[in-house]
């Protein structure tokens, strides 16, 4: 398998910079990424953790461009979990300001690229300036018809599933549905990812091999790809390698 991947990347690139052997008909529709390792990257260099997050944002930007150029339909970044509030106050404040900085530097490019930005998570619990930046991203790009870019901020999958259960209970109590109507589709329609395809591929950086409360319902049949690289060291070539390996896997969804 690895030899096949190496051969794929040994091929010459096409004019768009992607391996000629990429099958554009077999691209994952939805790629979700757990961007882990910013703090460790900074620590290894004797830098504050915030420097790692700044470096990580450059990789986010590079990956967005690569995914958009390749033709990925949905790209989701796990940017800030509901558990991340436990981190040092200075680090949390810096992370909450990143959407503001990203708005200043990248909004116009996203508009030009026809990318639509959405947030997954509880926006009201974030600082006002974070909410305003996220709202502006969503408003300024809502007419775009290209790649959907999701930022999971203040997101936790268990909270999301609990919320969907509460919505279903409310609907039953109001007589909108009965308990016999409850199905996978009924639950999916009450998740934050309503209307989006489930992730085909989940990428996690930094060598950690776990999911960390990320899209637990949605990734039931996702392909998982892990790399030892810390997120600030995650390159476009690594992203393409993950896509290339995905294309060589057989997705059976429980069948033979």
């Amino acid at each position: 398998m690895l030899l096949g991947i190496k051969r794929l990347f040994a091929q010459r690139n096409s004019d768009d910079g992607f391996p000629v052997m990429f099958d554009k008909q077999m691209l994952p529709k939805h790629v979700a990424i757990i961007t882990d390792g910013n703090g460790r990257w900074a620590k290894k260099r004797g830098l504050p953790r915030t420097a790692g997050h700044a470096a990580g944002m450059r990789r986010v930007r590079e990956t967005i461009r690569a995914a958009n150029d390749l033709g990925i339909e949905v790209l989701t970044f796990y940017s800030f979990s509901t558990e991340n509030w436990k981190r040092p106050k200075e680090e949390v404040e810096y992370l909450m300001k990143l959407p503001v900085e990203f708005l200043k530097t990248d909004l116009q490019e996203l508009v030009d690229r026809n990318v639509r930005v959405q947030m997954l998570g509880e926006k009201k619990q974030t600082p006002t300036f974070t909410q305003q930046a996220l709202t502006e991203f969503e408003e300024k790009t809502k007419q775009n018809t290209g790649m959907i870019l999701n930022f999971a901020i203040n997101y936790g999958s268990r909270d999301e599933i609990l919320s969907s259960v509460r919505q279903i209970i409310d609907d039953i109590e109001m007589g909108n549905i009965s308990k016999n109507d409850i199905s996978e589709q009924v639950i999916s329609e009450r998740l934050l990812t309503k209307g989006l395809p489930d992730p085909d591929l989940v990428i996690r950086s930094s060598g950690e091999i776990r999911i960390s409360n990320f899209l637990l319902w949605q990734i039931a049949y996702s392909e998982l790809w892990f790399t030892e690289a810390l997120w600030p060291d995650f390159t476009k070539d690594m992203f393409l390698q993950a896509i290339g390996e995905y294309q060589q896997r057989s997705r059976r969804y429980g069948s033979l």
Side-chain angles (χ1 to χ4, degrees):
M1 177 67 75
L2 289 177
L3 181 59
I5 297 297
K6 289 178 181 177
R7 284 175 177 168
L8 185 151
F9 282 91
Q11 303 296 318
R12 66 181 178 83
N13 287 349
S14 60
D15 292 339
D16 59 11
F18 297 113
V20 172
M21 290 182 66
F22 260 14
D23 186 345
K24 294 273 181 101
Q25 303 303 313
M26 292 180 62
L27 289 173
K29 291 183 178 180
H30 185 173
V31 178
I33 305 179
I34 303 173
T35 57
D36 194 24
N38 292 335
R40 277 170 282 166
W41 183 90
K43 184 177 180 180
K44 286 174 62 176
R45 290 159 177 76
L47 300 170
R49 291 176 61 86
T50 52
H53 295 304
M57 279 305 301
R58 291 192 286 273
R59 292 308 186 190
V60 167
R61 183 178 294 113
E62 182 179 273
T63 305
I64 291 170
R65 290 168 178 162
N68 191 45
D69 290 342
L70 192 57
I72 302 299
E73 294 181 15
V74 184
L75 179 65
T76 300
F77 288 102
Y78 198 12
S79 303
F80 189 92
S81 75
T82 50
E83 290 79 22
N84 287 158
W85 294 106
K86 303 172 186 175
R87 293 188 177 188
K89 181 180 178 181
E90 179 184 359
E91 181 178 358
V92 170
E93 289 178 348
Y94 182 85
L95 289 168
M96 288 296 107
K97 290 177 181 176
L98 279 179
V100 179
E101 295 303 314
F102 196 58
L103 180 71
K104 294 176 183 176
T105 57
D106 289 72
L107 175 60
Q108 189 56 54
E109 180 178 349
L110 293 172
V111 170
D112 293 342
R113 283 178 170 271
N114 197 30
V115 172
R116 178 153 57 98
V117 180
Q118 298 183 161
M119 176 191 171
L120 302 180
E122 182 50 64
K123 189 184 297 184
K124 292 181 181 179
Q125 293 178 3
T126 63
T128 301
F129 55 80
T130 306
Q131 295 179 40
Q132 291 173 342
L134 293 170
T135 298
E136 186 169 352
F137 262 124
E138 291 172 336
E139 286 297 315
K140 293 290 179 63
T141 65
K142 67 181 181 180
Q143 301 301 325
N144 291 352
T145 58
M147 185 178 77
I148 296 173
L149 173 61
N150 295 314
F151 287 106
I153 298 176
N154 194 29
Y155 172 86
S157 186
R158 287 186 173 183
D159 284 347
E160 178 187 28
I161 294 171
L162 281 172
S163 176
S164 74
V165 171
R166 293 188 184 106
Q167 291 176 55
I168 291 171
I169 292 172
D170 288 342
D171 284 335
I172 291 175
E173 291 178 344
M174 289 187 291
N176 296 329
I177 61 173
S178 72
K179 67 177 183 180
N180 293 327
D181 294 323
I182 299 174
S183 63
E184 289 188 11
Q185 182 178 351
V186 167
I187 295 173
S188 295
E189 287 176 348
R190 287 158 177 79
L191 297 176
L192 296 172
T193 51
K194 176 184 177 180
L196 299 177
D198 289 338
D200 298 296
L201 173 65
V202 177
I203 296 170
R204 180 167 187 153
S205 58
S206 86
E208 303 291 354
I209 305 177
R210 56 176 178 265
I211 300 304
S212 298
N213 199 20
F214 182 49
L215 300 175
L216 299 178
W217 176 273
Q218 297 89 332
I219 65 171
Y221 285 99
S222 300
E223 296 295 321
L224 308 180
W225 194 87
F226 300 97
T227 175
E228 295 287 335
L230 301 174
W231 178 248
D233 294 324
F234 185 87
T235 64
K236 174 183 174 180
D237 284 345
M238 291 178 186
F239 180 71
L240 298 181
Q241 182 182 350
I243 301 296
E245 184 168 332
Y246 166 85
Q247 292 198 333
Q248 296 204 9
R249 295 185 185 181
S250 176
R251 306 188 71 198
R252 294 184 294 274
Y253 299 96
S255 65
L256 297 179

